[in-house]
Each structure stands twice: as structure tokens, then as C-alpha cells.
Amino acid sequence: MQLHRLTLCAIGPFAGTFDIDIERLGASGLFHLEGPTGAGKSTLIDAIVFALYGEVAGRSSSADRMHSNAADAATTPFVELDFSTASGMYRIRRTPKHERAKRRGNGMTTENGSAKLWRLLSPDGSGDASDPMSTRVEEVGAEITRIVGLTHEQFVQTVVLPQGEFATFLRSTPEVRRELLQKLFGTEIYDAVLDRLVDQRKAAKQQRADAINEVSGAIRAYSGAAGLDQSAEAALSACEGEALVDEVASQLSQLSLEVDAAAAAAKAAASQADLARIDLVERQTRERSRQRVIALRRELASIDATRNEQARQSVALERALEATRLTPMLDGIVAAEARHDQAVAELEKRREHVSVPDAAPTGWPQHERSLRDAAAGLSTLDALERALPARTLAVADLARTRDEAAMNRRDVDEAIVLAPQALSDLREQLSAALAHRGTHAGAVAEADSAAVVLAAATALESRQAAALTAGAARESARQLAQQRLADETDLRSRFLDGMAGQLASALVVDEACPVCGSREHPRPAARRVGDVDKEAVDAAARRLADATSALSEATAEASGIEAELAELRGRSNGVSVADAQSRKVNADLAVADFDIATQDVIRLESDILAIEKTLAENRTQCETLTAETTRLDAEVSVAAGALETDRKKVSESLDGHATIADRVVALISEADEWHRATESFAAVEAASADRATRTGEWDGALAKSPFASRSEVVSARLSDEERGRLSREIERARERRREIDVELASSELTTVTSDDVIDVAAVERLAADAAAAHQKAQQIAANLRQRFDDSAGRGHAIESALALQRKVVAQTAPIIRMADLLGGASPDNAKSMSLPTFVLRERFADVVASANERLSTMSDGRYALVHVEDREGSRRAGLGLRVRDSHSEKERDAKTLSGGETFYCSLAMALGLADVVRAEAGGVDLGTLFVDEGFGSLDPDTLDHVLSVLSRLGTSGRVVGIVSHVPELKERISERVTVIPNRDGSSRLVVSA
């Protein structure tokens, strides 16, 4: 990966826009980022990492600090980076989360971060020479990881080595190294191959297990079908191959003989059952005939006993038929009498409602017609009466409209009279407002000047307290840093003094000493009270780093506030906040007076035009309202007179009723009662005549019948259902006697008598026993046949399962052997190391060898990195690392190195990584490397050795950026980016290339 250009705006301490041509700057292979502590050197490293991953380089920092506090609120912060990998050239642009002014209204709002990614089609990416790839933050992050081939954590271990984290790879665990090396060297293919082989081995072993289970299942199925007990099944399962097949064949042959014997026994039992069944049928038939004779004779005796009842039923049936003939005539008389009684009752009811005479109604229709004619004559007055309420409301509405028109005319007259005076007053106010409006320009200028002075005075007063606080914080941070330095130095010294006790506490009997290699430990050193472990030293070092960083930030904060105070004193001209506020209030009041005068001019001009327009409209409206009032007076007078005349007509025709409609209803109701009385009288006369006629006819018919009275006829009557039932019972008894006689004379019943004795039960028992014996023999034969058929089929299944097992074992053997060999589980794998681990181990060995070439120069031949065989569980990992000290000829953990030693060992490791990666095809190209600080921990000779190594990198196409404030670097490296702090707390960049 190569970085080409970095552009940043309003980022960290850089309030403006700055552009760095990294490709030109690193043409010689080495460039320097220098500047005072806290000026913003590390911000450039953070900007590169933020552009790619949306996060800063150091784990102790946050991306929230990316937006510059010194930048204008209207400026949008961003970082833009051009870079290239093996897949092409790209440009990425990110904006951090920041506060900006609201587009509408006052105040600030939060703008979320954004990201855009392009593929560059030309080196400068101008015009149409770029291809947009994504504008979504999540998608851009995924694309960057794919393009670069590294995660954020891996990037800051290999390309950008920030403060406090450049030794991460050197001190990391083998597991962390494995993950990073896989990304760098692109060895995921070996893991994929091994994973594929492991999956195939798992599938192969499953196939073998399935084949074995298939054979076992076939044996269990055969044993169940053949009815074998557990011991026989176990004996069969112990057989293998052809022995198993032969044993199954032998068992099937024996079972076939048993099937034939059972079939012969079933055939003999069938013949015995047939003979017993024939004898039983004959005896059952004779017994049924005897029982039938007994039943028929008993039924015949019962029929003979009911002859008298049959004769009585015949007489009752004949009288019922005669009564049925007279029933219609009898029902007619009853109905005529009921109609006569109902008509008489209805006539009496009519007499209660109308006073009619008892004589015939000769004049009743004429009286009814006179009442209806009187009701019809009132229809005209009824309609007139119904219209009176609506006409009354109409006259009232007309009068109200007339009164409203008169009132409106009076209001308009009053408005016409008042308008001239109002116009005169408004014109005077307009003249005064126009005169006051001419003082605008001076008031606005004075207000602007007062605002500038007040803002400066207020900020000066506010920041003076902040300056005191920042100074105190700087002093506190300095004291804390000194104390933390003393603590760290003391703990490290105590740790080194107690190193022997710590190593001795970890010794194990019969295991090699990590220092001398001996397996005997005659006099191990003891731990002392007050000894310090490595974790305490590391914690003190972290606290020292935090205190140093806090001191840098506090110093930068105090310097920025002091520069800001000087600028504010110049802008405020020595004016106090109170005086500036008073001057600002007076100027604002003057501007406000002008604004009020301007608004008054606009309002007064509008009011004058409105009054003039209203006056003209009122004069026209007054004329219209006068004519309307005169017309409405005439209409009200005419309508009221006509209404009073019609009311009088209606009142004279009420005849004691509340309304004309009530009188009409009363007349019609009375006419209806007279009509119903006439109809009731006619109904009584018709019913009397009908009753007399029917009575004469009944008396004649009764005299000719066998009955003496109406009651005898009623009691003799039967319903149709009862007559039918009697008729059917009489005929059924006669028919049944004839049937019994015929059946008793048949040949089947004449051969037996009721006294015969037939023992059917004994024969039934013999036949049942023979049938049961036959069924049992049949079941035994069928079960044996089914058992033989199932066993034969299961025997063939065993042969098929055995053939499949032999085939599966032959097919899976190469896969299992290869997976075990490459996975480190095979005895043939002498190192018990998997293929991916072996590949990474070899690459890591190359990295260590390449790193030692530079480390030898940097450490003046004292230190060398040693690749050791560590373990992961039961297998070797091969990614362990220790440091050999030639002075003591001992190896030790990299975590025990001092700050300067850790720095140049880590730098050598990073350069070694880049060398080996560039030599490999398919990995991640590490073409650019940034080292943030660490050079200050080197003595002059070691610094000279390190720079000698770095200066030779340009010949291999590598670029290294050094971030440091060490003066010797400025003298040795001509290509540089200088960070210069401004007096207002911001910083600027100067590029020398």
C-alpha cells in the first residue's frame, strides 16, 4: 500500500486547509514530521487513520476530537486521502461528527460524520477520471478493509505505529500474530484448504460410521425378523464378512424346513373343521324348524282368543261411517249459530258509539252522507289555517330586514361624518415619522462598533479566569508527570532487582530453567518482601504515559489561551465590560427607534389609503340602503293586512274545535260509525235466515239416521286415522290366520314335532374346537412363512450393507490420511504442526531473519530476535518470539526491554515485516510506514545506527515517515513537514520537499 496525498481542513489544531504531497515528500524514502510538543504532529497520523477507518490511531484517543475548535463554525471539517494498493488507486474523504450553525433560525446543531470513496482512473483523479464507489459510512468501511487487506488494529501495528502502540506486534501473543500474519501474507488459502480437508474428513468418518451403522442395523433387522434372542443376535453380530453371510444362509435353510411342516399340519386341520361344520348346519336347521312350529301354534291360539273384540270393532266402525256422513251438516249448523251470535254482538257494540234507533235503518245512509259533505267543505279553510304560521314568520322576517337596513344606513352616515377628522390626524403622524427616519446610517454604524468592542471585552473577562485555570492545570500536570516518572523508575528498579526470585518461583522439577537450561534447581532464589511484578511496572509506565500526554495537552491549552488574551486586549481598546454594554444598549436603542419609525411610515400610509377607500364605499352604500328601506316599509304593510283577514275567517269556522283539522277529523269519525252500524244490522238479518234454513235440513236428516240426537252423532264420530287403524287391524288378523295355516302345512315343518330333542350345543362345541385348531395351524404356518420371507429379505440387506461398507472404507482412506497429515494429527507429521501454522511459521522465520539484519545495526550487534516453538494446546504454533542479549548470552521476553530497546526492536520488526511481505505475491504490500515518537528514548549512538538503517530504505521503494521533535532528526533529514503553532492556539503546516 502506498500513500500519495493527504488533505485536511478544520482538523485538530489545523483550522485552515492544508495539502501534503506524501509521494513527493517521500521520494528519498525518508521524511520527518517535526514540531513542538502539543502542536499537532500526531494529528497528521490520526488524520490518515481516520480517513481510512473513521477512527484515530491511538486507542486512548477518540475521533470526537478531530474537529478543530479554532475553525470557523461555517467551515466543514474533512480529511481526504489518495492511496494505492495492488487493486488500483483510490481517494477517500471523511468528515467527522461536528457542530454547525442551523440553516434556519439561531443556535447550533450536530452534523453526523460522512464518508465517500472513489476509484481513481488517473493519478490526479480530476474531471471524469474517477469512479464513485460508495457514499455510505458502513459500506465505505467494508470496502476499505477489503481494498487495504487490514483491519484498523492491524493497520496501526504495521503501517502506522502511533505513540504508545508501536510495540504492539512485538509484544503480542502468538494468536494475535497469527491473525495479522494471515492478513499480511494472504495465507488464508491454506486455512481454507485445511478447513475443506477437515470437513471432508468429518464427512468421510461419518460415511464410515453410517456404513457400520447400516451393517449393524441390517443385523438387528434380520434378528428381529428371524426371532433371534439377544445371545443369538450377539453371536451373529460377532461374525464378519463371509462368515456372517454363511451363518445367515444356514439359519434360513433351517427355517424353510419348519415352514413346510407347518403347512402340512394346517391342511389336515382344515379337513376336520369342514366335517364338523357340515354336521352342525344339519342339526341347527332341524332345531330352527321345531322352534318355528311352536311359535306358530302359540300365535294361532292368541288370534282365536280375540274374536269377540274383532266383532265389537266392526260395529263401531259402521256407526262411525254413518256419523261421518252427517258431520258436514252438523258443522254447518254450529257455524251458522256462531255467525248469528257474532253479528248480534257487533250491532250492540255499534249502538254504544252511535245513538241509532232499534227499528230498521231507513235514514242512516243519508245522515252519513251529510256528515261527509260537511267535512269536505272545510278543506279550503284547513289549507288556509296550515299556511298561517309560515306567513306570520315571513312578515316578521320582512320587518326585521327593514329594521336592519335602517340601522346600517345610520352606521354608514356616522362613519361618513367621522372620516375627515381621522384622515387629518393620520397625515400629521406620517409627517412626523418621515422626519424621524433620516437618522438611520449613523445609528447602525455606532451599533456595529459597540458590538465588536463588547464581544472582545466580554471574551477577555471570561478568558482571564480560564488562563488562571489553565496555568494551574499546567503546573499540576507537570508535578504529576514528575511524580509518575519517579514512581516508574523506582518500580522498574525494584522489578529488575527481584527478577531472580520471580524466575525461580516459576521453576518446575525436571523441567528446563528458562535462563540456564538445567533441569536441576539446587538453590533457587527466593521472593523478597517488596518485590514488584511486571504488571505493576507496566501499570506505572501507562500512568507515566498518561501523565506526559496530559502535560502536553495542558501546556498547549495554556499557550493558546495566553495568545487569545493578547488579541482580545487589542480589539477591546481597554474598555470595560460595563462601559461596552452601556454603549451597546444606547446604540441598539437608536437603531430600534429608526426601525419603529420606518414601520410607522408604512403603517400610516396604508391606513390613509384604507380610510379614503372606505369613505367612497360608504357614500355609495348610504344611497343604496335609503332606497331599500322605503321599499321594505311598503311590503311589510301589505303582508300584515292580508294575514289578519285570513285569521278572522279561520276563527269563525272552528265551531268549538281547536283547529279546522280537528273539526274535519270529528265529522269523518262520526260518519264512519254510522256506516259500520248499518253494515252490522244487515249482517244480523242474513245470519238469522241462514240459521233457520240449516236447522230444517238437519231435523230431516236426523230422522232418517240410526241416531236419536245431535250428541249421539258427536260421540259416534271417529277420525280418519282411527277408522283406518280399526280397518287395518281387522283385516290383518284375518290375513295372519290364513298365513299360519299355510306355513304349518309346508314340507319343512311337517317333518318335525315340538316334542323332538336335538342337542345343538354339543355339536357347536365340537365344530368350534375344530375351527380353532384349523385357525391356529393356519396362523402358525402363515407366521413361519412371513418370518422366512422377512428373514430372507433382511439377509440380502446384510450382504448389500457389507458390500457398501467395503466400498466406503476404500474411498475414504486417502481423504482421512491427508487431513490427518496436514492437520498435524498423523504420526507421519513429525512436528505435529498444521499446514497453515507451518506456512506462517516459515514466513515468521523470514520476518525475524529480515528484522535481525537491521536490528544488528541498530543495537550495535547486541540484540537479536529469536523465533521459538510455542504451543497452542497439544500442537505446536511456531509463532513465539524472544530476544537474545549477546552481552549475557541469554534469551528473555520482549516485554522486559527498556523503552529505547523496545522502540528499535519494534521498528526492526516492522521493517522486517514489510520486507518479507513485499517479497511475497498475494499478500498486503506495506510500501509506507509511519513511526510516531520513540526516537527521544535513544542515545546518540543508537539514534545514529537507526537513522543509518532508515536512510537506506529509499533504494527499495519504501517510504518511512518519522514523527518526532528530536533536534538531531531535523539536521539529518531534509524532507520534512513542520508543524508551527499560532498565537490563537491553532497550528499551520510548512512542507519542505
Side-chain angles (χ1 to χ4, degrees), residues 24 63 194 209 227-228 246 277 281 320 334 394 404 445 449 455 510 546 593 648 657 674 699 701 733 747 750 855 923:
R24 181 166 174 254
L194 182 57
L228 302 182
D246 293 342
R277 185 171 56 255
V281 170
V334 174
E404 290 175 355
S449 176
D510 292 333
D546 293 341
D593 288 343
K648 186 176 180 181
H657 294 84
W674 279 96
D699 291 341
S747 59
T750 55
L855 181 58

Side-chain angles (χ1 to χ4, degrees), residues 749-776:
L749 300 184
T750 55
T751 59
V752 296
T753 64
S754 57
D755 298 331
D756 291 345
V757 178
I758 303 173
D759 190 0
V760 178
V763 179
E764 286 178 344
R765 286 192 296 271
L766 293 175
D769 293 342
H774 174 230
Q775 184 177 5
K776 182 177 180 180

Side-chain angles (χ1 to χ4, degrees), residues 133-149:
M133 296 179 65
S134 179
T135 59
R136 294 180 58 187
V137 175
E138 297 81 1
E139 291 181 356
V140 169
E143 284 294 318
I144 287 296
T145 302
R146 181 187 62 82
I147 293 170
V148 176

Side-chain angles (χ1 to χ4, degrees), residues 44 56 145 176 318 352 356 365 406 478 734 862 917 972:
L44 297 177
V56 295
T145 302
V176 176
E318 291 176 359
E352 292 175 2
V356 296
R478 181 180 292 108
R734 294 172 182 170
R862 177 179 179 180
V917 168
R972 299 283 298 271

Side-chain angles (χ1 to χ4, degrees), residues 57 260 558 562 670 712 814 879:
D260 293 340
E562 290 171 358
E670 186 178 358
E712 289 186 11
L879 298 180

Side-chain angles (χ1 to χ4, degrees), residues 68-112:
S68 175
N69 295 326
D72 187 277
T75 302
T76 301
F78 72 87
V79 179
E80 187 173 278
L81 179 67
D82 291 359
F83 66 96
S84 62
T85 67
S87 61
M89 294 187 64
Y90 302 90
R91 173 174 295 160
I92 186 170
R93 180 187 180 102
R94 283 189 192 268
T95 62
K97 181 179 180 181
H98 61 281
E99 298 287 327
R100 63 165 177 79
K102 292 182 178 179
R103 296 186 177 91
R104 295 183 179 178
N106 300 323
M108 305 294 288
T109 185
T110 301
E111 183 81 13
N112 291 324

Side-chain angles (χ1 to χ4, degrees), residues 533-752:
D533 56 16
K534 184 62 171 62
E535 288 72 16
V537 176
D538 292 341
R542 289 193 294 272
R543 289 195 295 272
L544 174 60
D546 293 341
T548 303
S549 176
L551 175 60
S552 300
E553 294 178 357
T555 302
E557 177 70 14
S559 301
I561 293 177
E562 290 171 358
E564 184 180 354
L565 289 177
E567 181 182 358
L568 291 174
R569 291 190 186 96
R571 291 208 302 264
S572 64
N573 296 322
V575 177
S576 66
V577 174
D579 292 341
Q581 288 176 337
S582 177
R583 176 182 172 188
K584 181 67 168 59
V585 170
N586 294 332
D588 289 341
L589 290 175
V591 175
D593 288 343
F594 166 77
D595 294 337
I596 293 173
T598 301
Q599 295 173 2
D600 287 344
V601 169
I602 297 172
R603 177 180 55 79
L604 291 170
E605 289 176 346
S606 175
D607 291 346
I608 290 172
L609 292 175
I611 291 176
E612 290 175 346
K613 180 179 179 182
T614 302
L615 179 59
E617 293 174 349
N618 286 342
R619 286 171 177 163
T620 302
Q621 187 178 8
C622 184
E623 295 175 359
T624 303
L625 290 173
T626 300
E628 181 70 12
T629 301
T630 302
R631 180 183 64 78
L632 291 173
D633 277 337
E635 290 184 3
V636 169
S637 178
V638 173
L643 178 62
E644 184 61 29
T645 299
D646 290 341
R647 280 181 179 155
K648 186 176 180 181
K649 288 181 182 180
V650 171
S651 178
E652 292 173 350
S653 302
L654 291 176
D655 192 22
H657 294 84
T659 63
I660 296 297
D662 290 345
R663 185 181 176 191
V664 170
V665 170
L667 290 171
I668 293 175
S669 297
E670 186 178 358
D672 290 342
E673 288 297 333
W674 279 96
H675 179 73
R676 284 191 285 272
T678 303
E679 290 180 342
S680 296
F681 190 87
V684 170
E685 290 183 338
S688 296
D690 182 53
R691 182 182 62 177
T693 301
R694 291 180 179 272
T695 300
E697 293 175 352
W698 167 256
D699 291 341
L702 187 62
K704 297 177 180 180
S705 69
F707 305 107
S709 64
R710 181 187 298 186
S711 60
E712 289 186 11
V713 174
V714 172
S715 62
R717 285 191 303 184
L718 295 175
S719 65
D720 292 343
E721 183 177 342
E722 289 175 340
R723 291 196 306 272
R725 180 180 60 78
L726 287 175
S727 178
R728 286 192 297 273
E729 288 179 356
I730 293 170
E731 182 59 30
R732 188 162 47 245
R734 294 172 182 170
E735 181 63 25
R736 183 55 185 159
R737 184 175 181 82
R738 288 194 297 270
E739 291 175 352
I740 291 174
D741 292 339
V742 171
E743 189 171 356
L744 286 173
S746 64
S747 59
E748 291 82 359
L749 300 184
T750 55
T751 59
V752 296

